[in-house]
Amino acid sequence: MATVVDLGGTKIAAARVAGAKVLERRQAATPRDGRFESLVDAVAALVAGWADGPVGIATTGLVRDGRLTATNPGTLPVPPDSPLAAALQDRLGVPVRAVNDAQAAAWGEFRHGAALGAGSMVFLTVSTGVGGGLVLDGRLRGGLAGHLGHVVAVPDGPLCGCGRRGCVEAIASGRALAAAATAAFGAAMDAPALFRRAETDAAAAALIDRAAAAIARLLADLRAALDLDLAVVGGGVGLAEGFLERVNRALAVEPPQFRIVLRPAALGHDAGLIGMADLGASQPLSTKRVSSPREP
């Protein structure tokens, strides 16, 4: 039985997992005071009594060698290059491994969910933000690979929290949809309210279609670049009623060779926990990097 943690911008979930089954779960709000120590305290408190072996942490943000940097500080306010795995290992007294949460979820869907039998796949979570994970020829890619919310969808589009303009996350995420709806209709509106309004309002439906088109273009580009077998989509927006149908309609406009098989995530909010448990303490991630050439 594995002890794993899913560290997100809104909540932290800890669980005891056996195979693809979550046996016990605890949950708490994510501290948002910007102090790394607060995150360590919160995670340690959640796993108290469960740290009887290696602990896996699936976390939002960029993870390299156990160190965490927020790709979008608005999602998780944490100092750059925070030693997440080392700090928790010192606190808990057991080995700790950290992996990006969407990468862990990709592995969960690949091993136990909607991507069973696929050779190469992408998992895309469209939620408060947009994240992803890539499994290529049966190996999970680590590092920056899969941070697909920060691929540009609309050049010179809205400023994203990562610092780029027109990212998929700035167009299609729940946060982006809420901002666009609030601006369009003159009243505060979150993504679920926008989806409800879209049932009878063409202008609201157009905002969701714009988001779905950005996701479809991203998936077509990934098909062209990586010849993927399958795309699995999850997240609160991704699994909202009718959203995947809108993405499929937008994909249908693409030339046939750029279309990709699209499936809804099968493991729901547990994908990251299950994937992290399956990764364990030693499953390798492919993170090979080539040094940048020196400037003349």
Side-chain angles (χ1 to χ4, degrees), residues 174 177-179 181-182 185 187-195 197 204:
L177 285 171
T182 298
F185 303 118
M189 184 178 297
D190 60 11
L194 176 64
F195 273 86
R197 181 163 180 154

Side-chain angles (χ1 to χ4, degrees), residues 121-286:
M121 56 84 71
V122 59
F123 171 76
L124 198 64
T125 177
V126 189
S127 189
T128 304
V130 176
L134 289 164
V135 178
L136 304 179
D137 297 324
R139 293 195 66 187
L140 177 64
R141 292 288 303 184
L144 192 61
H147 283 72
L148 300 169
H150 303 292
V151 172
V152 173
V154 180
D156 299 322
L159 181 65
C160 181
C162 75
R164 305 188 82 192
R165 283 198 172 273
C167 289
V168 171
E169 184 165 298
I171 303 296
S173 68
R175 187 186 295 111
L177 285 171
T182 298
F185 303 118
M189 184 178 297
D190 60 11
L194 176 64
F195 273 86
R196 290 192 295 271
R197 181 163 180 154
E199 295 173 6
T200 57
D201 186 323
L207 291 178
I208 299 173
D209 284 337
R210 179 173 179 248
I215 297 298
R217 283 194 299 271
L218 171 62
L219 294 176
D221 288 346
L222 288 169
R223 173 77 168 163
L226 300 171
D227 195 23
L228 300 174
D229 301 318
L230 178 69
V232 176
V233 177
V237 173
L239 296 179
E241 187 173 355
F243 187 76
L244 287 188
E245 286 81 357
R246 294 172 189 267
V247 175
N248 267 320
R249 284 200 297 270
L251 274 171
V253 178
E254 297 282 349
Q257 63 267 32
F258 301 120
R259 300 171 194 165
I260 189 168
V261 176
L262 191 61
R263 292 180 187 165
L267 302 180
H269 298 300
D270 291 336
L273 295 168
I274 292 168
M276 195 67 234
D278 195 277
L279 283 168
S282 59
Q283 174 71 31
L285 273 69
S286 180

